[in-house]
Amino acid sequence: MTKTIKAYAAFEEKGPLKPFEYDPGALGKNEVEIEVHYCGICHSDLSMIDDEWGMTQYPIVAGHEVAGKINAVGENVKGLSVGQNVGLGWHSGYGDCPSCSSSDLNLSATAQPTIAGRHGGFADRVRADAQSVVAIPDGVDLATAGPLFCAGITVFNPLVQFNVKPTSKVAVIGIGGLGHLALQFLNAWGCEVTAFTSSESKKEEALKLGAHRTLNSRDAAEIEAAANQFDFIISTVNVKLDWNAYVATLAPKGRFVFVGATLEPLDLDAFGLILKQASVSGSVVGSPETIATMLDFAKLHGVKPQVEVFPMSKVNEAIEKLKSGDIHYRIVLSNQD
């Protein structure tokens, strides 16, 4: 087995990615090594490459939407085997805390991000603790599986955690990399689905992806007319909006969930929540158990990310395409010639 891992790394803030090789050392007893066939690019990768969160250590090998085959397993690993199709998402390991001994591994305070303090999937291989690696069911295309391990689970996890019912009236804010999957999952879940979008061109696409109707998020009158309608709203955007206007569209006891990481403080009217006993929540990826459930659900209902594939060697070109916003709807890097 070749020891050196070949990757693409950023060596400075906002710098281009360059070829990079590193020796990962001996495979840990509880680790697996994954031969990376495909790896999606997420906005979180860009945030880490550009050190927007102030936690990046250079050189950094980004990439946390990995799909590939197991290349090697540590001596203590059970339930995973060489040659098996697997995926790896935001977490490469967990730790020892109350959440770590429950089904809420994704909430672990000691969880190890795949691209912080270790090297990720913009490479020919990547290593991770076996507990964080999830088998990909037969019949799920590896070329589109990677984004499910971050974007997909980010919008699927709230459906499980907050007990969204098939009879719920739900809305999705932002029809992009996260939102286009949220529409598919919610439609398959059985919900009545509304898409908030500011793009005329995306209205027709939103309907094809699973929305039953659309509302113009730039039209205050349309939003106002939707008052008290939605049992559940999921926001996938990372920009500041008039949150009170959206909260007003919640039905009594409705819930508004943030999965898009807007960095500005939330300006919320307490009375808007109090008078209808509404809730505002956040949600972050999901546990390996929930990821496995999501993959089975996606296979059963044909939920699939829409992707544009670039060779791994064109990673900088792919990143520029992502930054431009002109993608439908996820970018995936390929090591497959």
Side-chain angles (χ1 to χ4, degrees):
M1 182 173 66
T2 304
K3 199 171 186 182
T4 301
I5 290 179
K6 296 181 179 179
Y8 288 89
F11 291 81
E12 60 184 355
E13 183 180 326
K14 301 186 186 300
L17 274 61
K18 300 176 183 178
F20 172 64
E21 295 187 13
Y22 69 96
D23 182 350
L27 185 68
K29 293 181 180 181
N30 298 308
E31 286 188 317
V32 300
E33 183 173 276
I34 303 170
E35 181 183 284
V36 179
H37 288 200
Y38 300 94
C39 186
I41 305 180
C42 175
H43 272 283
S44 297
D45 291 311
L46 304 190
S47 294
M48 287 295 292
I49 289 169
D50 294 344
D51 197 23
E52 290 179 356
W53 299 337
M55 59 186 287
T56 304
Q57 298 174 348
Y58 296 98
I60 176 176
V61 177
H64 60 278
E65 295 184 341
V66 174
K69 290 184 182 292
I70 293 180
N71 191 45
V73 298
E75 59 184 84
N76 291 344
V77 173
K78 301 184 185 305
L80 295 171
S81 58
V82 172
Q84 188 173 10
N85 288 348
V86 295
L88 175 68
W90 180 252
H91 292 138
S92 281
Y94 296 99
D96 184 15
C97 72
S99 293
C100 298
S101 58
S102 72
S103 60
D104 293 324
L105 282 168
N106 55 306
L107 303 181
S108 166
T110 56
Q112 175 64 64
T114 298
I115 59 173
R118 61 194 304 157
H119 293 313
F122 293 175
D124 61 353
R125 288 173 289 132
V126 66
R127 289 185 179 178
D129 190 281
Q131 194 176 26
S132 62
V133 175
V134 181
I136 296 175
D138 291 342
V140 175
D141 183 10
L142 285 185
T144 59
L148 290 173
F149 281 79
C150 183
I153 190 59
T154 294
V155 296
F156 183 86
N157 192 56
L159 310 190
V160 176
Q161 300 303 322
F162 301 122
N163 299 312
V164 175
K165 297 179 174 61
T167 53
S168 294
K169 294 183 178 181
V170 302
V172 178
I173 302 173
I175 313 305
L178 294 174
H180 91 288
L181 285 167
L183 294 179
Q184 294 180 65
F185 277 126
L186 287 163
N187 181 288
W189 203 260
C191 301
E192 180 183 308
V193 187
T194 297
F196 280 106
T197 178
S198 62
S199 170
E200 285 293 326
S201 64
K202 285 188 177 179
K203 283 188 174 182
E204 215 45 55
E205 293 176 48
L207 295 173
K208 290 178 182 178
L209 287 164
H212 297 99
R213 65 167 180 155
T214 66
L215 289 174
N216 187 343
S217 57
R218 290 181 176 171
D219 188 329
E222 276 197 31
I223 296 177
E224 187 176 350
N228 303 310
Q229 287 192 14
F230 302 116
D231 303 302
F232 186 81
I233 299 174
I234 183 167
S235 173
T236 71
V237 299
N238 61 359
V239 296
K240 181 179 176 62
L241 298 177
D242 183 355
W243 304 119
N244 290 307
Y246 289 100
V247 167
T249 69
L250 285 174
K253 295 188 178 182
R255 184 182 295 271
F256 188 108
V257 177
F258 286 95
V259 298
T262 176
L263 298 180
E264 298 186 46
L266 302 180
D267 178 16
L268 290 170
D269 175 17
F271 277 107
L273 300 171
I274 292 169
L275 294 177
K276 60 176 65 177
Q277 204 172 311
S279 302
V280 175
S281 305
S283 181
V284 59
V285 290
S287 68
E289 180 182 1
T290 307
I291 293 172
T293 299
M294 173 204 64
L295 292 171
D296 287 338
F297 186 89
K299 177 183 176 181
L300 180 64
H301 294 281
V303 175
K304 180 185 284 191
Q306 294 189 9
V307 304
E308 295 182 37
V309 180
F310 285 72
M312 187 72 71
S313 60
K314 301 287 187 183
V315 60
N316 287 304
E317 183 180 322
I319 286 174
E320 290 306 311
K321 182 75 180 289
L322 178 57
K323 287 180 176 178
S324 76
D326 183 26
I327 57 167
H328 291 76
Y329 283 94
R330 304 293 289 189
I331 288 180
V332 170
L333 300 174
S334 171
N335 278 321
Q336 306 301 294
D337 296 328

